């Protein structure tokens, strides 16, 4: 462009009469240059879009680790662990009153099953059995529900896998964004609160019942109507690189990234009001109450060899991208799963867990000794009664005596009024005696143990304080 301008300027100076006509080629040249820039920009945008589409359509291999599409009591028994490999881990451990469970379920609606040469790669919408993770999350003293695997007998070797996947469907409501959903794993045999977590998102259900309540008081009828509809299963993919080390709900400062080379020792799910952050951060507009998530499979995924080699041949500089909580429908995964049949997997997904009784027997001796004492003073039932008493007194205007009488009346069976009244009064008296004993025991421990320890600490610190003041 500069050369053309220079030539046109010399031509104009040497030939003044042609000055009026010389501007036309220059203007035309400038316009052509601007058009070329626009074309180049459009080509770059198109190339970026092609790269994005290529990354989005990256083919994966999926290997299930936990399969809930077969009941634990079926014959022959399922080859992969199911609901019996999980245990409850709710906020009751920190004084909360939330509760949840993972159990086997099945649908009354049987969709048409697509033909397949490999049962492992059948269309996931054809499965009628699934796991049901459901419960009631309360924010009184806690605010989370969770489930985790029992201790592994051997670490899970993930091989070349790049993350976890889960086939699931939220059926309780259409507000998954009002909860924090997390996957949990750990790299050692401990069962403490320091683990690795990654959050993921659930899409809004496409099987919404028009009469379904959208508030926290979801009706049983609306949930039942939604269960009987055809479920749209969603495949959630969570890469290992998105996991962060946490202690409770808080991030561990400068915590190491997740290293899966030594194997994994636990998998878990959590639904919480707490976001993953350095400080305890609650999700605004959190939705407490009932939730129900149906799960078909949980496993590992990795990019298939064929798709990886194709991407390298097409563009050596392109890299695959995997975002947190990537969601795709099983229909979008059929081609990926069919392609993966031709490629031998390098991931070892076979894992076995201890039974609940074996896990109890392998607990440390100190833990076994302290558990009855802890349950005596920090009972989940007593926490629930305390929460109910607070609600009756603060929100319903009951006195303490009135709340106790309300509890007695609520347990009376009209058909067996006399016997149920006697039983209700007896149970109320036993509860009052147990709660009184707990209160007395806590007071004795506080005055007989905690206060003396606090006094000893103050005595030990006194000389250091005196020396500091003298300096």
């Amino acid at each position: 462009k500069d050369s053309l301008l220079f030539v046109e300027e010399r031509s104009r100076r040497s030939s003044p009469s042609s000055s009026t006509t010389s501007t036309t080629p220059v203007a035309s040249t400038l316009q052509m240059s601007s058009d070329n820039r626009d074309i180049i920009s459009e080509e770059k945008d198109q190339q970026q879009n092609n790269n994005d589409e290529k990354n989005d359509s990256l083919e994966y291999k999926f290997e299930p680790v936990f399969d809930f599409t077969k009941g634990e009591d079926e014959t022959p028994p399922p080859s992969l662990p199911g609901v019996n490999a999980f245990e409850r881990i709710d906020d009751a451990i920190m004084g909360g009153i939330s509760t949840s469970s993972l159990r086997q379920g099945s649908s009354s609606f049987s969709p048409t099953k697509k033909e397949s040469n490999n049962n492992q790669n059948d269309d996931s919408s054809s499965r009628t059995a699934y796991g049901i993770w459901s419960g009631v999350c309360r924010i009184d003293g806690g605010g989370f529900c969770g489930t985790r695997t029992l201790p592994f007998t051997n670490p899970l070797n993930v091989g070349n896998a790049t993350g976890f996947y889960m086939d699931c469907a939220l059926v309780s409501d259409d507000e998954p964004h009002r909860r924090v959903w997390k996957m949990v794993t750990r790299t050692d045999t401990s069962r403490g609160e320091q683990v690795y977590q990654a959050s993921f998102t659930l899409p809004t259900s496409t099987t919404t019942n028009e009469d379904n309540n959208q508030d926290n008081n979801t009706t049983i009828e609306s949930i039942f109507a939604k269960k009987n509809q055809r479920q749209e299963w969603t495949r959630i993919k969570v890469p290992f690189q998105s996991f962060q080390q946490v202690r409770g709900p808080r991030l561990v400062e400068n915590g190491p990234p997740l290293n899966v080379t030594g194997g994994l020792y636990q998998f878990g799910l959590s639904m919480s009001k707490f976001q993953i952050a350095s400080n305890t951060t609650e999700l605004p507009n959190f939705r407490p109450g009932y939730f129900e998530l149906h799960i078909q499979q949980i496993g590992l995924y990795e990019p298939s060899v064929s798709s990886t080699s194709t991407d390298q041949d097409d563009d050596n500089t392109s890299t695959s991208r995997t975002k947190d909580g990537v969601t795709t429908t099983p229909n979008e995964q059929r081609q990926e799963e069919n392609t993966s049949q031709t490629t031998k997997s390098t991931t070892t997904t076979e894992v076995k867990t201890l039974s609940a009784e074996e896990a109890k027997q392998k607990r440390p001796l100190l833990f076994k000794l302290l558990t009855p004492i802890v349950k005596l003073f920090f009972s989940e039932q007593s926490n629930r009664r305390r929460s109910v008493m607070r609600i009756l007194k603060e929100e319903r205007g009951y006195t303490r005596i009135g709340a106790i009488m309300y509890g007695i009346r609520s347990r009376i069976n009209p058909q067996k009024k006399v016997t149920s009244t006697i039983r209700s009064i007896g149970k109320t008296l036993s509860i009052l005696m147990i709660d009184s004993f707990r209160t007395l025991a806590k007071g004795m421990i506080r005055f007989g143990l905690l206060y003396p320890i606090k006094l000893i600490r103050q005595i030990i610190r006194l000389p250091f304080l005196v020396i500091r003041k003298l300096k």
Side-chain angles (χ1 to χ4, degrees):
K1 184 176 69 176
D2 294 339
S3 300
L4 288 172
L5 289 173
F6 178 75
V7 172
E8 293 294 337
E9 181 65 17
R10 288 189 61 183
S11 176
R12 184 182 64 80
R13 291 183 179 180
S14 63
S15 176
S17 60
S18 61
S19 61
T20 56
T21 60
S22 62
T23 58
T24 302
V26 174
S28 177
T29 303
L30 291 175
Q31 181 65 32
M32 291 174 61
S33 178
S34 177
D35 293 341
N36 289 335
R37 286 198 299 271
D38 293 339
I39 294 173
I40 293 173
S41 178
E42 291 178 358
E43 290 177 350
K44 288 183 177 180
D45 293 341
Q46 183 64 31
Q47 184 177 1
Q48 181 64 36
N49 292 333
N50 292 337
N51 291 336
D52 292 341
E53 292 177 358
K54 184 188 301 181
N55 292 328
D56 293 337
S57 62
L58 184 64
E59 295 175 351
Y60 295 97
K61 294 184 296 183
F62 298 92
E63 290 196 17
V65 179
F66 304 99
D67 189 4
F68 309 108
T69 61
K70 293 183 178 180
E72 299 286 344
D73 55 350
E74 287 188 9
T75 304
S79 58
L80 297 176
V83 296
N84 290 341
F86 287 78
E87 65 178 355
R88 171 195 174 204
I89 180 75
D90 296 326
D91 59 15
I93 60 175
M94 54 179 291
I97 58 174
S98 301
T99 181
S100 68
S101 64
L102 178 62
R103 64 190 187 279
Q104 191 67 42
S106 60
S107 175
S108 59
F109 180 83
S110 298
T112 303
K113 190 171 184 178
K114 297 195 69 175
E115 296 181 358
S116 174
N117 294 327
N118 190 342
N119 292 332
Q120 180 175 334
N121 294 298
D122 283 347
D123 180 15
S124 61
S125 64
S126 64
R127 309 180 191 130
T128 56
Y130 46 79
I132 301 176
W133 180 39
S134 63
V136 179
C137 184
R138 301 296 185 191
I139 58 176
D140 296 340
F144 69 89
C145 293
T147 182
R148 67 178 180 181
T149 55
L150 293 162
F152 291 169
T153 58
N154 55 289
L156 173 63
N157 178 18
V158 302
N160 294 330
T162 56
F164 289 112
Y165 81 89
M166 178 173 65
D167 294 337
C168 58
L170 182 66
V171 300
S172 57
D173 56 83
D174 291 305
E175 294 184 326
H177 58 281
R178 293 182 57 189
R179 302 183 182 96
V180 181
W181 305 91
K182 306 173 187 177
M183 285 189 181
V184 187
T185 190
R186 67 171 71 244
T187 57
D188 54 36
T189 58
S190 68
R191 305 290 282 180
E193 62 177 353
Q194 185 164 300
V195 294
Y196 286 88
Q197 289 184 348
S199 59
F200 62 90
T201 58
L202 290 173
T204 302
S205 174
T206 58
T207 61
T208 307
N209 184 16
E210 295 179 356
D211 297 328
N212 190 9
N213 267 337
Q214 295 300 321
D215 57 13
N216 293 339
N217 300 320
T218 304
T219 62
I220 298 298
E221 291 79 6
S222 64
I223 297 174
F224 181 77
K226 194 170 185 179
K227 288 180 184 178
N228 287 333
Q229 298 178 9
R230 178 191 291 270
Q231 296 183 13
E232 290 293 336
W233 298 97
T234 298
R235 176 157 288 175
I236 306 295
K237 297 196 293 289
V238 181
F240 291 142
Q241 63 185 7
S242 65
F243 281 79
Q244 298 172 285
Q245 192 177 43
V246 299
R247 181 179 289 109
R250 295 181 296 273
L251 279 174
V252 176
E253 295 295 335
N254 301 320
L258 178 62
N259 184 1
V260 300
T261 55
L264 299 177
Y265 291 82
Q266 178 187 310
F267 176 85
L269 295 170
S270 176
M271 190 280 292
S272 174
K273 71 174 183 180
F274 301 107
Q275 297 175 312
I276 301 177
S278 299
N279 300 319
T280 302
T281 306
E282 297 184 6
L283 178 70
N285 196 26
F286 172 74
R287 173 172 178 154
Y290 183 78
F291 75 95
E292 183 170 334
L293 183 70
H294 292 181
I295 306 172
Q296 290 184 325
Q297 283 186 348
I298 299 172
L300 301 169
Y301 75 92
E302 62 177 295
S304 63
V305 176
S306 59
S307 64
T308 304
S309 61
T310 303
D311 291 338
Q312 291 177 349
D313 293 338
D314 293 341
D315 186 3
N316 292 328
T317 62
S318 64
T319 57
S320 62
R321 294 181 302 133
T322 308
K323 296 182 180 180
D324 297 356
V326 178
T327 60
T328 55
T329 62
N331 292 333
E332 297 171 339
Q333 303 298 336
R334 292 184 193 128
Q335 183 177 0
E336 300 172 4
E337 295 181 352
N338 292 334
T339 304
S340 66
Q341 297 178 20
T342 59
T343 307
K344 185 177 180 180
S345 174
T346 58
T347 303
T348 303
T349 57
E350 183 178 358
V351 64
K352 294 182 179 180
T353 63
L354 299 176
S355 65
E357 291 299 325
E358 291 173 341
K360 288 181 180 180
Q361 293 176 0
K362 286 202 170 187
R363 288 174 178 173
L365 179 61
L366 182 61
F367 185 86
K368 293 179 181 179
L369 296 175
L370 293 178
T371 298
I373 301 175
V374 172
K375 287 185 177 181
L376 179 62
F377 294 107
F378 304 99
S379 169
E380 184 176 352
Q381 288 77 11
S382 65
N383 292 336
R384 295 182 185 280
R385 289 194 295 269
R386 186 164 52 250
S387 178
V388 171
M389 179 64 71
R390 180 190 62 79
I391 293 173
L392 291 176
K393 292 173 65 177
E394 296 179 2
E395 300 182 9
R396 303 289 181 86
Y398 283 83
T399 62
R400 183 173 181 82
I401 299 299
I404 293 174
M405 296 302 298
Y406 174 83
I408 293 175
R409 291 193 301 269
S410 65
R411 287 189 289 266
I412 296 177
N413 186 356
Q415 297 178 353
K416 301 179 180 179
K417 193 169 184 179
V418 177
T419 56
S420 62
T421 301
I422 296 174
R423 290 178 181 176
S424 179
I425 293 174
K427 186 172 183 179
T428 301
L429 292 175
S430 65
I431 290 173
L432 291 175
M433 292 177 61
I434 293 173
D435 288 347
S436 299
F437 173 76
R438 285 198 179 101
T439 303
L440 180 62
K442 288 179 181 179
M444 293 177 61
I445 291 176
R446 185 179 295 109
F447 286 100
L449 184 62
L450 298 182
Y451 285 168
I453 292 176
K454 186 176 181 180
L455 179 61
I456 293 172
R457 289 180 58 186
Q458 294 294 336
I459 294 173
I460 294 174
R461 291 180 58 188
L462 184 60
F464 296 98
L465 295 175
V466 173
I467 294 173
R468 184 179 301 175
K469 288 185 177 180
L470 291 176
K471 289 183 178 181

